[in-house]
Amino acid sequence: ASMAEGSVPGALAFGQVVIGPPGSGKSTYCQAMRAFLAQLGRSAAVVNLDPANEAVPGPCALDIGELVTLPDVMGSLGLGPNGGLLYCMEYLEANADWLRERLRALRGHYLLLDCPGQVELYTHHQALRNILAQLAKWNFRLAAVHLVDSHYCTDPGKFISVLCTSLCTMLHVELPHVNVLSKMDLIEHYGKLAFNLDYYTEVLDLSYLVDHLASDPFFRNFRRLNEKLVEVIEDYSLVSFVPLNVQDKQSMRQVLQAVDKANGYSFGDREQRSLEALMSAAVGADFHFSSTLAVQEKYVQSQDKAVEEEVKDL
């Protein structure tokens, strides 16, 4: 088949575009996933595309800092952190040839692209979106992994905001998308959930969330607005989440199965097909549900233990 204009000759390459707000655990996820893939026999490489990330917590095969850094941009152009990050992404887009040459050396590797945490880059700014579109022309098959801190589940108002941001990101980035609730090992420290965990991961009937918000005097005045926001989210019916604990191999495997299905890796011939992998591609929702149940069980047990300790103290 003829190659797309500007493409890099060679076989398809697969990878993940790891995005999400600051503090959601993107760099930690990239390093944990790289180590997990190594155990599976995949050659994985972390690519740091965050010009503000000066201390990558692990091996990095390619660093945007070789081309441009946020402190240099802020110092030379007098920009703030937000404007500086936008400029850096536009500078990377203008120097796509540099990125293309560096990626040539990583052919044969499964890529983990650690991206900046500025939300504007994924909701309405064009530079990063154009860079990802260029990567597709170079025969990279990527899926976006959108990390969201699980503590937002404990605040219904923030969770609705997260749903809106996730939906906007999915529509703007235009990549196969996997939304992930990160730091599930810490969720018991954030407070009690109003509903079971599967309610948040599967984004079930959000009218219950609106009713729960209405019990708060502050949000009661915004009930109509919340109802309309929820209607938009439910009309698109695109947002759902996979729970993640990077310290749990089973949890990492569930996320990887979802990503492999999204970017097409599980449909290739690079690994021996197992019945479980094929079933995961066919009925992934059931597998995600069983994973959520496992996390929910751990969460409930930790909550019960906390209650028992409080009773003892009394």
Side-chain angles (χ1 to χ4, degrees):
S2 61
M3 305 281 286
E5 183 179 355
S7 62
V8 178
L12 292 176
F14 294 88
Q16 305 177 21
V17 181
V18 184
I19 61 180
S24 57
K26 296 184 294 298
S27 296
T28 301
Y29 169 84
C30 287
Q31 295 300 330
M33 182 57 72
R34 181 195 59 79
F36 184 71
L37 290 172
Q39 295 177 354
L40 298 178
R42 297 193 201 178
S43 297
V46 175
V47 176
N48 178 38
L49 293 183
D50 185 359
N53 193 355
E54 299 180 341
V56 181
C60 183
L62 174 59
D63 190 349
I64 191 178
E66 301 173 13
L67 176 69
V68 62
T69 65
L70 180 60
D72 289 342
V73 169
M74 293 173 60
S76 60
L77 300 180
L79 296 174
N82 292 336
L85 271 174
L86 298 180
Y87 179 88
C88 288
M89 290 299 102
E90 292 172 352
Y91 190 79
L92 178 60
E93 179 187 3
N95 290 272
D97 290 341
W98 174 88
L99 181 61
R100 180 181 180 184
E101 290 302 318
R102 293 301 189 276
L103 290 177
R104 283 182 184 272
L106 298 179
R107 277 293 172 174
H109 289 73
Y110 186 99
L111 298 184
L112 298 166
L113 279 64
D114 187 359
C115 296
Q118 190 173 1
V119 176
E120 293 93 324
L121 293 171
Y122 317 117
T123 56
H124 61 271
H125 196 255
Q126 299 294 324
L128 186 59
R129 173 184 175 180
N130 295 339
I131 293 169
L132 298 177
Q134 190 63 55
L135 287 172
K137 293 181 180 179
W138 297 340
N139 292 329
F140 288 95
R141 297 297 176 259
L142 304 172
V145 178
H146 187 199
L147 299 183
V148 175
D149 197 316
S150 59
H151 81 81
Y152 290 116
C153 294
T154 61
D155 188 320
K158 291 181 180 178
F159 186 67
I160 290 179
S161 298
V162 163
L163 293 175
C164 292
T165 302
S166 298
L167 177 60
C168 187
T169 300
M170 295 175 75
L171 297 176
H172 182 75
V173 174
E174 295 184 340
L175 281 178
H177 213 90
V178 177
N179 293 303
V180 174
L181 283 176
S182 64
K183 305 180 183 179
M184 290 302 302
D185 53 318
L186 301 177
I187 191 171
E188 65 268 17
H189 301 301
Y190 296 141
K192 186 175 178 59
L193 298 180
F195 306 98
N196 287 337
L197 186 60
D198 61 321
Y199 179 87
Y200 300 93
T201 57
E202 302 301 324
V203 189
L204 303 175
D205 189 352
L206 295 178
S207 62
Y208 294 103
L209 201 62
V210 175
D211 292 338
H212 185 72
L213 273 174
S215 63
D216 188 319
F218 175 80
F219 287 105
R220 190 177 301 140
N221 297 328
F222 301 96
R223 182 186 180 98
R224 183 63 174 167
L225 173 63
N226 288 323
E227 287 176 345
K228 290 303 180 182
L229 291 175
V230 163
E231 285 180 12
V232 172
I233 295 168
E234 292 184 331
D235 285 347
Y236 276 95
S237 189
L238 291 175
V239 184
S240 63
F241 295 93
V242 181
L244 170 66
N245 173 8
V246 295
Q247 300 177 357
D248 184 355
K249 291 184 178 181
Q250 176 68 12
S251 178
M252 292 288 288
R253 186 173 65 87
Q254 294 290 346
V255 172
L256 183 60
Q257 285 179 344
V259 176
D260 283 349
K261 179 182 176 183
N263 63 18
Y265 187 95
S266 61
F267 302 104
D269 56 1
R270 297 195 175 198
E271 291 182 334
Q272 183 178 2
R273 299 292 188 83
S274 66
L275 176 61
E276 185 176 4
L278 292 174
M279 289 299 293
S280 175
V283 288
D286 293 337
F287 278 74
H288 293 164
F289 182 68
S290 63
S291 173
T292 303
L293 285 179
V295 176
Q296 174 70 21
E297 183 177 356
K298 294 179 181 179
Y299 171 75
V300 171
Q301 289 175 351
S302 65
Q303 288 291 320
D304 292 342
K305 185 177 180 181
V307 172
E308 290 176 1
E309 291 177 353
E310 290 179 1
V311 172
K312 289 181 181 179
D313 293 338
L314 293 175

